[in-house]
Coordinates of all heavy atoms in Angstrom, one line a residue:
M1 N 15.8 44.7 5.3 CA 16.9 44.7 4.4 C 18.1 43.9 5.0 O 18.6 42.9 4.4 CB 17.3 46.2 4.1 CG 18.6 46.3 3.2 SD 18.3 45.6 1.6 CE 20.0 45.5 1.0
L2 N 18.5 44.3 6.2 CA 19.5 43.6 6.8 C 19.2 42.1 7.0 O 20.0 41.2 6.9 CB 19.8 44.2 8.2 CG 21.2 44.7 8.5 CD1 21.2 45.8 9.5 CD2 22.0 43.5 9.0
C3 N 17.9 41.9 7.3 CA 17.4 40.6 7.5 C 17.6 39.7 6.3 O 18.0 38.6 6.4 CB 16.0 40.6 7.9 SG 15.4 39.1 8.7
S4 N 17.3 40.2 5.1 CA 17.3 39.4 3.9 C 18.8 39.1 3.5 O 19.1 38.1 3.0 CB 16.6 40.1 2.8 OG 17.3 41.3 2.4
V5 N 19.7 40.1 3.9 CA 21.1 39.8 3.6 C 21.6 38.7 4.4 O 22.3 37.8 4.0 CB 21.9 41.1 3.9 CG1 23.4 40.8 3.9 CG2 21.6 42.2 2.9
F6 N 21.1 38.7 5.7 CA 21.5 37.6 6.6 C 21.0 36.3 6.1 O 21.7 35.3 6.1 CB 20.9 37.9 8.0 CG 21.3 36.9 9.0 CD1 22.6 36.8 9.5 CD2 20.3 36.1 9.5 CE1 22.9 35.8 10.4 CE2 20.6 35.1 10.5 CZ 21.9 35.0 10.9
A7 N 19.7 36.2 5.7 CA 19.1 35.0 5.2 C 19.8 34.5 4.0 O 20.1 33.3 3.8 CB 17.6 35.3 4.9
F8 N 20.2 35.4 3.2 CA 21.0 35.0 1.9 C 22.3 34.4 2.3 O 22.7 33.3 1.8 CB 21.2 36.3 1.0 CG 22.0 36.0 -0.2 CD1 21.5 35.3 -1.2 CD2 23.4 36.3 -0.2 CE1 22.3 35.0 -2.3 CE2 24.2 36.0 -1.3 CZ 23.6 35.3 -2.4
S9 N 23.0 35.0 3.2 CA 24.3 34.4 3.6 C 24.2 33.1 4.3 O 25.0 32.2 4.1 CB 25.1 35.4 4.4 OG 24.4 35.7 5.6
M10 N 23.1 32.9 5.0 CA 22.9 31.6 5.6 C 22.7 30.5 4.6 O 23.2 29.5 4.6 CB 21.6 31.7 6.5 CG 21.8 32.4 7.8 SD 22.9 31.5 8.9 CE 21.9 30.2 9.5
A11 N 21.8 30.9 3.6 CA 21.6 29.9 2.5 C 22.8 29.6 1.7 O 23.1 28.5 1.4 CB 20.5 30.5 1.6
Y12 N 23.6 30.6 1.6 CA 24.9 30.5 0.9 C 25.8 29.5 1.6 O 26.4 28.6 1.1 CB 25.6 31.8 0.7 CG 26.8 31.7 -0.1 CD1 26.8 31.6 -1.5 CD2 28.1 31.8 0.5 CE1 28.0 31.5 -2.2 CE2 29.2 31.7 -0.2 CZ 29.2 31.5 -1.6 OH 30.3 31.4 -2.3
A13 N 25.9 29.7 2.9 CA 26.7 28.9 3.8 C 26.3 27.4 3.7 O 27.1 26.5 3.7 CB 26.7 29.4 5.2
Q14 N 25.0 27.2 3.7 CA 24.5 25.8 3.6 C 24.8 25.2 2.3 O 25.1 24.0 2.2 CB 23.0 25.8 3.9 CG 22.7 25.8 5.4 CD 21.2 25.7 5.7 OE1 20.4 25.8 4.8 NE2 20.9 25.7 6.9
D15 N 24.7 26.0 1.3 CA 25.1 25.5 -0.1 C 26.5 25.1 -0.2 O 26.9 24.1 -0.7 CB 24.8 26.6 -1.1 CG 23.6 26.3 -2.0 OD1 22.8 25.5 -1.5 OD2 23.5 26.8 -3.1
A16 N 27.4 25.9 0.4 CA 28.8 25.7 0.4 C 29.1 24.4 1.1 O 30.0 23.6 0.7 CB 29.5 26.8 1.1
K17 N 28.3 24.0 2.1 CA 28.5 22.8 2.8 C 28.3 21.6 2.0 O 28.8 20.5 2.2 CB 27.6 22.7 4.0 CG 28.3 23.0 5.3 CD 27.3 22.7 6.5 CE 28.1 22.8 7.8 NZ 27.1 22.6 8.9
K18 N 27.5 21.7 1.0 CA 27.1 20.6 0.1 C 28.0 20.3 -1.0 O 27.8 19.4 -1.8 CB 25.7 20.8 -0.4 CG 24.6 20.4 0.7 CD 23.2 20.5 0.1 CE 22.2 20.7 1.2 NZ 21.1 21.5 0.7
T19 N 29.0 21.2 -1.2 CA 29.9 21.0 -2.3 C 30.7 19.6 -2.2 O 30.8 19.1 -1.1 CB 30.9 22.1 -2.4 OG1 31.6 22.3 -1.2 CG2 30.3 23.4 -2.9
K20 N 31.2 19.2 -3.3 CA 31.7 17.8 -3.3 C 33.0 17.7 -2.5 O 33.3 16.7 -2.0 CB 32.0 17.3 -4.8 CG 32.6 18.4 -5.7 CD 32.4 18.0 -7.1 CE 32.8 19.0 -8.0 NZ 32.4 19.9 -8.8
N21 N 33.7 18.8 -2.4 CA 34.9 18.8 -1.5 C 34.6 19.0 -0.1 O 35.0 20.0 0.5 CB 36.0 19.8 -2.0 CG 37.1 19.0 -2.7 OD1 37.3 17.8 -2.4 ND2 37.8 19.7 -3.6
A22 N 33.9 18.1 0.5 CA 33.5 18.3 1.9 C 34.3 17.4 2.8 O 33.8 16.9 3.8 CB 32.0 17.9 2.0
K23 N 35.6 17.3 2.5 CA 36.4 16.5 3.4 C 36.9 17.1 4.6 O 37.3 18.3 4.6 CB 37.7 16.0 2.6 CG 37.3 14.9 1.7 CD 38.6 14.1 1.2 CE 38.1 13.0 0.3 NZ 39.2 12.6 -0.6
E24 N 36.7 16.4 5.7 CA 37.1 16.9 7.0 C 38.0 15.9 7.7 O 37.9 14.7 7.4 CB 35.9 17.1 7.9 CG 34.8 18.0 7.3 CD 34.5 19.2 8.1 OE1 35.1 19.3 9.2 OE2 33.6 19.9 7.7
T25 N 38.8 16.4 8.6 CA 39.7 15.5 9.3 C 39.5 15.7 10.8 O 39.5 16.8 11.2 CB 41.2 15.7 8.9 OG1 41.3 15.5 7.5 CG2 42.1 14.7 9.6
V26 N 39.4 14.6 11.5 CA 39.3 14.7 12.9 C 40.3 13.6 13.6 O 40.5 12.6 13.0 CB 37.8 14.4 13.3 CG1 37.3 13.0 13.0 CG2 37.6 14.7 14.8
T27 N 40.8 14.1 14.7 CA 41.7 13.2 15.4 C 41.0 12.7 16.7 O 40.5 13.4 17.4 CB 43.0 13.9 15.8 OG1 43.6 14.4 14.6 CG2 44.0 12.9 16.5
F28 N 41.0 11.3 16.8 CA 40.4 10.7 18.0 C 41.4 10.1 18.9 O 42.4 9.5 18.4 CB 39.4 9.6 17.6 CG 38.2 10.1 16.9 CD1 37.8 9.6 15.7 CD2 37.4 11.1 17.5 CE1 36.6 10.1 15.0 CE2 36.2 11.6 16.9 CZ 35.8 11.0 15.6
Y29 N 41.2 10.2 20.2 CA 42.1 9.5 21.1 C 41.3 8.2 21.5 O 40.2 8.2 22.0 CB 42.3 10.3 22.4 CG 43.1 9.6 23.4 CD1 44.4 9.3 23.3 CD2 42.5 9.2 24.6 CE1 45.2 8.7 24.2 CE2 43.2 8.5 25.6 CZ 44.5 8.2 25.4 OH 45.2 7.5 26.3
V30 N 42.0 7.1 21.1 CA 41.3 5.8 21.3 C 42.0 5.1 22.5 O 43.0 4.5 22.4 CB 41.5 4.9 20.1 CG1 40.5 3.7 20.1 CG2 41.3 5.7 18.8
D31 N 41.3 5.3 23.6 CA 41.9 4.8 24.9 C 42.1 3.3 24.9 O 43.1 2.8 25.4 CB 41.0 5.2 26.1 CG 41.8 5.0 27.4 OD1 43.0 5.2 27.4 OD2 41.1 4.8 28.4
G32 N 41.2 2.5 24.2 CA 41.3 1.1 24.3 C 42.3 0.5 23.3 O 42.5 -0.7 23.3
M33 N 42.8 1.3 22.4 CA 43.8 0.8 21.4 C 45.2 0.6 22.0 O 46.0 1.5 21.9 CB 43.7 1.7 20.2 CG 44.5 1.1 19.0 SD 44.2 2.1 17.5 CE 45.1 3.6 17.9
D34 N 45.4 -0.5 22.6 CA 46.7 -0.7 23.3 C 47.6 -1.8 22.7 O 48.7 -2.1 23.3 CB 46.5 -0.8 24.8 CG 45.5 -1.9 25.1 OD1 45.2 -2.7 24.2 OD2 45.1 -2.0 26.2
C35 N 47.2 -2.4 21.6 CA 48.1 -3.3 21.0 C 47.8 -3.4 19.5 O 46.9 -2.8 19.0 CB 48.0 -4.7 21.6 SG 46.5 -5.5 21.2
A36 N 48.7 -4.1 18.8 CA 48.5 -4.2 17.3 C 47.2 -4.8 16.9 O 46.6 -4.5 15.9 CB 49.7 -5.0 16.7
G37 N 46.7 -5.7 17.7 CA 45.4 -6.4 17.5 C 44.3 -5.4 17.5 O 43.4 -5.4 16.6
C38 N 44.3 -4.5 18.5 CA 43.3 -3.5 18.6 C 43.3 -2.5 17.4 O 42.3 -2.1 16.9 CB 43.4 -2.7 19.9 SG 43.2 -3.6 21.3
Q39 N 44.6 -2.2 17.0 CA 44.8 -1.3 15.9 C 44.2 -1.8 14.7 O 43.5 -1.2 13.9 CB 46.3 -1.0 15.7 CG 46.5 0.1 14.7 CD 48.0 0.3 14.4 OE1 48.8 -0.1 15.2 NE2 48.3 0.9 13.3
K40 N 44.4 -3.2 14.5 CA 43.8 -3.8 13.3 C 42.3 -3.8 13.3 O 41.7 -3.6 12.3 CB 44.4 -5.3 13.3 CG 45.3 -5.4 12.1 CD 45.7 -6.9 11.9 CE 46.9 -6.9 11.0 NZ 47.9 -7.9 11.4
K41 N 41.8 -4.0 14.5 CA 40.4 -4.0 14.7 C 39.8 -2.7 14.3 O 38.8 -2.6 13.6 CB 40.0 -4.3 16.2 CG 38.6 -4.5 16.4 CD 38.4 -4.9 17.9 CE 37.0 -4.8 18.4 NZ 36.9 -5.1 19.8
V42 N 40.4 -1.6 14.7 CA 40.0 -0.3 14.4 C 40.1 -0.1 12.8 O 39.1 0.4 12.2 CB 40.8 0.8 15.1 CG1 40.5 2.2 14.5 CG2 40.5 0.8 16.6
E43 N 41.2 -0.4 12.3 CA 41.5 -0.2 10.9 C 40.5 -1.0 10.0 O 39.9 -0.5 9.1 CB 42.9 -0.6 10.5 CG 43.9 0.4 10.9 CD 45.3 0.0 10.8 OE1 45.6 -1.3 10.6 OE2 46.2 0.8 10.9
K44 N 40.2 -2.3 10.4 CA 39.3 -3.1 9.7 C 37.9 -2.6 9.7 O 37.1 -2.7 8.8 CB 39.3 -4.5 10.2 CG 40.3 -5.4 9.6 CD 40.1 -6.9 9.9 CE 41.1 -7.8 9.2 NZ 41.1 -9.1 9.7
N45 N 37.5 -2.1 10.9 CA 36.1 -1.6 11.0 C 35.8 -0.2 10.6 O 34.9 0.1 9.8 CB 35.6 -1.8 12.4 CG 35.5 -3.3 12.8 OD1 34.4 -3.9 12.5 ND2 36.5 -3.9 13.4
I46 N 36.7 0.7 11.0 CA 36.4 2.1 10.8 C 36.6 2.5 9.4 O 36.0 3.4 8.8 CB 37.2 3.0 11.8 CG1 36.9 2.6 13.3 CG2 36.9 4.5 11.6 CD1 35.4 2.6 13.7
S47 N 37.6 1.9 8.7 CA 37.9 2.2 7.3 C 36.6 2.0 6.4 O 36.5 2.7 5.4 CB 39.0 1.3 6.7 OG 40.1 1.3 7.5
F48 N 35.8 1.1 6.8 CA 34.6 0.8 6.0 C 33.3 1.5 6.5 O 32.2 1.2 5.9 CB 34.4 -0.7 5.9 CG 35.6 -1.4 5.3 CD1 36.4 -2.2 6.1 CD2 35.9 -1.2 4.0 CE1 37.6 -2.8 5.6 CE2 37.0 -1.8 3.4 CZ 37.9 -2.6 4.2
V49 N 33.5 2.3 7.5 CA 32.3 3.1 7.9 C 31.9 4.1 6.8 O 32.8 4.7 6.2 CB 32.6 3.8 9.2 CG1 31.5 4.9 9.6 CG2 32.8 2.9 10.4
K50 N 30.6 4.2 6.5 CA 30.2 5.1 5.5 C 30.7 6.5 5.6 O 30.6 7.1 6.7 CB 28.6 5.1 5.5 CG 28.0 5.8 4.3 CD 26.5 5.8 4.5 CE 25.9 6.9 3.6 NZ 24.7 7.5 4.2
G51 N 31.3 7.0 4.5 CA 31.8 8.4 4.5 C 33.3 8.5 4.9 O 33.9 9.6 4.6
V52 N 33.9 7.5 5.4 CA 35.3 7.5 5.8 C 36.1 7.3 4.5 O 36.0 6.4 3.8 CB 35.7 6.5 6.8 CG1 37.2 6.4 7.1 CG2 34.9 6.7 8.1
T53 N 37.0 8.3 4.3 CA 37.9 8.2 3.1 C 39.3 7.8 3.4 O 40.1 7.3 2.6 CB 37.9 9.5 2.3 OG1 38.3 10.6 3.1 CG2 36.5 9.8 1.8
D54 N 39.7 8.1 4.7 CA 41.1 7.8 5.0 C 41.2 7.6 6.6 O 40.5 8.2 7.3 CB 42.0 8.9 4.6 CG 43.5 8.4 4.7 OD1 43.8 7.2 4.3 OD2 44.4 9.2 5.1
L55 N 42.1 6.7 7.0 CA 42.2 6.4 8.4 C 43.7 6.1 8.7 O 44.3 5.3 8.0 CB 41.3 5.2 8.8 CG 41.6 4.6 10.2 CD1 41.0 5.6 11.2 CD2 40.9 3.3 10.3
K56 N 44.2 6.8 9.7 CA 45.6 6.5 10.1 C 45.6 6.3 11.6 O 45.3 7.2 12.3 CB 46.5 7.7 9.7 CG 46.9 7.7 8.2 CD 47.9 8.7 7.9 CE 48.2 8.8 6.4 NZ 47.1 9.5 5.7
C57 N 46.1 5.2 12.0 CA 46.2 4.9 13.4 C 47.6 5.0 13.9 O 48.5 4.6 13.2 CB 45.7 3.5 13.7 SG 43.9 3.3 13.4
D58 N 47.7 5.5 15.1 CA 49.1 5.5 15.7 C 49.0 4.9 17.1 O 48.3 5.4 18.0 CB 49.6 6.9 15.8 CG 51.0 7.0 16.2 OD1 51.9 6.5 15.5 OD2 51.3 7.4 17.3
L59 N 49.6 3.7 17.2 CA 49.6 3.0 18.4 C 50.3 3.7 19.6 O 49.8 3.7 20.7 CB 50.2 1.6 18.2 CG 49.8 0.5 19.1 CD1 48.2 0.4 19.2 CD2 50.4 -0.8 18.7
A60 N 51.4 4.3 19.3 CA 52.2 5.0 20.3 C 51.4 6.1 21.0 O 51.5 6.3 22.3 CB 53.5 5.5 19.7
T61 N 50.6 6.8 20.3 CA 49.9 8.0 20.9 C 48.4 7.6 21.1 O 47.6 8.4 21.5 CB 50.0 9.2 20.0 OG1 49.5 8.9 18.7 CG2 51.4 9.7 19.9
K62 N 48.0 6.4 20.7 CA 46.6 5.9 20.8 C 45.7 6.8 20.0 O 44.6 7.1 20.5 CB 46.2 5.8 22.2 CG 46.8 4.6 23.0 CD 46.1 4.5 24.3 CE 46.7 3.4 25.2 NZ 45.9 3.4 26.5
T63 N 46.1 7.3 18.9 CA 45.2 8.2 18.1 C 44.8 7.6 16.8 O 45.6 6.7 16.2 CB 45.9 9.5 17.9 OG1 47.1 9.4 17.3 CG2 46.0 10.3 19.2
A64 N 43.7 8.0 16.3 CA 43.2 7.6 15.0 C 42.8 8.9 14.3 O 42.0 9.7 14.8 CB 42.0 6.7 15.1
V65 N 43.5 9.1 13.1 CA 43.2 10.3 12.3 C 42.2 9.9 11.2 O 42.6 9.1 10.4 CB 44.4 11.0 11.8 CG1 44.1 12.2 11.0 CG2 45.4 11.4 12.9
V66 N 41.0 10.4 11.3 CA 40.0 10.0 10.3 C 39.7 11.1 9.4 O 39.4 12.2 9.8 CB 38.7 9.5 11.0 CG1 37.7 9.0 10.0 CG2 39.0 8.5 12.1
T67 N 39.8 10.8 8.1 CA 39.3 11.8 7.1 C 38.0 11.3 6.6 O 37.8 10.1 6.2 CB 40.4 11.9 5.9 OG1 41.6 12.1 6.5 CG2 40.0 13.0 5.0
Y68 N 37.0 12.2 6.5 CA 35.7 11.8 6.1 C 35.0 12.8 5.3 O 35.3 14.0 5.3 CB 34.8 11.4 7.3 CG 34.6 12.6 8.3 CD1 33.4 13.3 8.2 CD2 35.5 13.0 9.2 CE1 33.1 14.4 9.1 CE2 35.3 14.0 10.1 CZ 34.1 14.7 10.0 OH 33.8 15.8 10.8
D69 N 34.0 12.4 4.6 CA 33.1 13.2 3.8 C 32.0 13.7 4.6 O 31.1 12.9 5.0 CB 32.6 12.4 2.6 CG 31.8 13.3 1.6 OD1 31.3 14.3 2.0 OD2 31.7 12.9 0.4
S70 N 32.0 15.0 4.9 CA 30.9 15.5 5.8 C 29.5 15.6 5.2 O 28.6 15.9 5.9 CB 31.3 16.9 6.4 OG 31.5 17.8 5.3
N71 N 29.4 15.2 4.0 CA 28.1 15.1 3.4 C 27.5 13.7 3.7 O 26.3 13.5 3.6 CB 28.2 15.2 1.8 CG 28.4 16.6 1.4 OD1 28.0 17.5 2.0 ND2 29.1 16.7 0.3
K72 N 28.4 12.8 4.1 CA 27.9 11.4 4.3 C 28.0 11.0 5.7 O 27.3 10.0 6.1 CB 28.8 10.4 3.5 CG 28.6 10.6 2.0 CD 29.4 9.6 1.2 CE 29.2 9.8 -0.3 NZ 30.4 9.3 -1.0
T73 N 28.8 11.6 6.5 CA 28.8 11.2 7.9 C 29.2 12.4 8.8 O 29.5 13.5 8.3 CB 29.8 10.0 8.2 OG1 29.6 9.5 9.5 CG2 31.2 10.4 8.0
T74 N 29.1 12.2 10.1 CA 29.5 13.3 11.0 C 30.4 12.8 12.1 O 30.6 11.5 12.2 CB 28.2 13.8 11.8 OG1 27.7 12.7 12.5 CG2 27.2 14.3 10.8
E75 N 31.0 13.7 12.8 CA 32.0 13.3 13.9 C 31.2 12.4 14.9 O 31.8 11.4 15.4 CB 32.5 14.6 14.5 CG 33.6 14.3 15.5 CD 34.1 15.6 16.1 OE1 34.3 16.6 15.4 OE2 34.2 15.6 17.4
K76 N 30.0 12.8 15.2 CA 29.2 12.0 16.1 C 29.0 10.6 15.7 O 29.1 9.6 16.4 CB 27.9 12.7 16.4 CG 27.2 12.1 17.6 CD 25.8 12.5 17.9 CE 25.2 11.8 19.0 NZ 25.0 10.3 18.7
K77 N 28.7 10.4 14.4 CA 28.5 9.1 13.8 C 29.7 8.2 13.9 O 29.7 7.0 14.1 CB 28.0 9.2 12.4 CG 26.5 9.5 12.3 CD 26.0 9.4 10.9 CE 24.6 9.9 10.8 NZ 24.2 10.2 9.4
L78 N 30.9 8.9 13.6 CA 32.2 8.2 13.7 C 32.4 7.7 15.1 O 32.8 6.6 15.3 CB 33.3 9.1 13.2 CG 33.2 9.5 11.8 CD1 34.3 10.6 11.5 CD2 33.4 8.3 10.8
K79 N 32.1 8.6 16.1 CA 32.3 8.2 17.5 C 31.4 7.0 17.8 O 31.9 6.1 18.5 CB 31.9 9.4 18.4 CG 33.0 10.4 18.5 CD 32.6 11.4 19.6 CE 33.8 12.2 20.1 NZ 33.4 13.3 21.0
D80 N 30.2 7.0 17.3 CA 29.3 5.9 17.6 C 29.9 4.6 17.0 O 29.7 3.5 17.5 CB 27.9 6.2 17.0 CG 27.2 7.2 17.8 OD1 27.6 7.4 18.9 OD2 26.1 7.7 17.3
A81 N 30.5 4.7 15.8 CA 31.1 3.6 15.1 C 32.2 3.0 16.0 O 32.3 1.7 16.1 CB 31.6 3.9 13.7
F82 N 33.0 3.8 16.6 CA 34.1 3.3 17.5 C 33.5 2.7 18.7 O 33.9 1.6 19.2 CB 34.9 4.5 18.0 CG 36.1 4.9 17.0 CD1 35.9 5.9 16.1 CD2 37.3 4.2 17.0 CE1 36.9 6.2 15.2 CE2 38.3 4.5 16.2 CZ 38.1 5.5 15.2
K83 N 32.4 3.3 19.2 CA 31.8 2.7 20.4 C 31.2 1.3 20.1 O 31.3 0.4 20.9 CB 30.6 3.7 20.8 CG 30.4 3.7 22.3 CD 29.1 4.5 22.7 CE 29.5 5.8 23.3 NZ 28.2 6.6 23.5
K84 N 30.7 1.2 18.9 CA 30.1 -0.1 18.5 C 31.1 -1.2 18.5 O 30.8 -2.4 18.8 CB 29.5 0.0 17.1 CG 28.1 -0.4 17.0 CD 27.6 -0.3 15.5 CE 26.4 0.5 15.4 NZ 26.0 0.8 14.0
I85 N 32.4 -0.9 18.2 CA 33.4 -2.0 18.3 C 34.1 -2.0 19.6 O 35.1 -2.7 19.8 CB 34.4 -1.8 17.1 CG1 35.2 -0.5 17.2 CG2 33.8 -2.0 15.8 CD1 36.4 -0.5 16.3
G86 N 33.5 -1.4 20.6 CA 34.0 -1.5 22.0 C 35.1 -0.6 22.3 O 35.9 -0.8 23.2
M87 N 35.3 0.5 21.5 CA 36.4 1.4 21.7 C 35.9 2.8 21.7 O 36.1 3.5 20.7 CB 37.5 1.2 20.7 CG 38.2 -0.1 20.9 SD 39.7 -0.1 19.9 CE 39.8 -1.9 19.6
P88 N 35.4 3.3 22.8 CA 35.0 4.7 22.8 C 36.2 5.6 22.6 O 37.3 5.3 23.1 CB 34.4 4.9 24.2 CG 34.6 3.6 24.9 CD 35.2 2.6 24.1
V89 N 35.9 6.8 22.0 CA 37.0 7.7 21.7 C 36.7 9.1 22.2 O 35.5 9.4 22.4 CB 37.3 7.8 20.2 CG1 37.7 6.4 19.6 CG2 36.0 8.2 19.4
E90 N 37.7 9.9 22.3 CA 37.5 11.3 22.6 C 38.1 12.1 21.5 O 39.2 11.7 20.9 CB 38.3 11.7 23.9 CG 37.7 11.1 25.2 CD 36.3 11.7 25.4 OE1 36.0 12.8 25.1 OE2 35.4 10.9 26.0
T91 N 37.5 13.2 21.1 CA 38.0 14.0 20.0 C 39.3 14.8 20.6 O 39.2 15.3 21.7 CB 37.0 15.0 19.6 OG1 35.8 14.3 19.2 CG2 37.5 15.8 18.4
V92 N 40.3 14.8 19.8 CA 41.5 15.5 20.3 C 41.4 16.9 19.7 O 41.3 17.1 18.5 CB 42.8 14.9 19.7 CG1 44.0 15.7 20.1 CG2 42.9 13.5 20.3
K93 N 41.4 17.9 20.5 CA 41.3 19.3 20.0 C 42.6 19.7 19.3 O 43.7 19.4 19.8 CB 41.0 20.2 21.2 CG 39.7 19.9 21.9 CD 38.5 20.6 21.2 CE 37.2 20.2 21.8 NZ 36.6 19.0 21.1
P94 N 42.4 20.3 18.2 CA 43.6 20.7 17.4 C 44.4 21.8 18.1 O 44.0 22.5 18.9 CB 43.1 21.2 16.1 CG 41.6 21.4 16.2 CD 41.2 20.7 17.6
Ligands
CU101 CU1 44.8 -4.8 22.1

């Protein structure tokens, strides 16, 4: 009995993940972003990564705030995308 309740809630949680409003926001620290050119590079490339819906870069703090659809991409995939353009990032804990 307890087991089936647990299974049900797990299935429910997975279902909830698939709803259309699956927007997540993550802040990355971009160590290599040290001038306007780098910022542009990030903006030009990361904005078009699959699943990314919004991107805000801040040069002063070297951060990039990425809003993405978690049905289409993951934090790990985003990190890989940064790595691909030569700018590895660290997730900033909220
Ligand atoms: Cu630069």
Side-chain angles (χ1 to χ4, degrees):
M1 177 61 193
L2 234 154
C3 199
S4 66
V5 169
F6 181 70
F8 175 77
S9 60
M10 285 293 284
Y12 183 78
Q14 274 180 357
D15 250 24
K17 255 188 170 176
K18 279 182 201 152
T19 51
K20 44 197 170 252
N21 253 337
K23 280 200 179 156
E24 305 238 4
T25 301
V26 62
T27 303
F28 291 126
Y29 176 71
V30 196
D31 195 29
M33 189 170 72
D34 49 15
C35 73
C38 295
Q39 186 183 343
K40 249 189 197 140
K41 188 174 165 187
V42 170
E43 283 169 348
K44 270 194 176 166
N45 289 278
I46 305 302
S47 306
F48 301 109
V49 169
K50 190 182 160 214
V52 172
T53 56
D54 194 42
L55 170 72
K56 281 189 186 75
C57 291
D58 187 66
L59 202 53
T61 54
K62 288 189 180 181
T63 53
V65 180
V66 183
T67 307
Y68 64 96
D69 184 336
S70 61
N71 287 327
K72 292 181 182 156
T73 191
T74 61
E75 190 181 311
K76 194 189 172 295
K77 280 185 189 166
L78 295 172
K79 278 185 162 178
D80 286 347
F82 274 97
K83 211 186 254 176
K84 231 183 235 173
I85 59 166
M87 290 193 209
V89 297
E90 288 298 326
T91 307
V92 177
K93 297 277 173 265

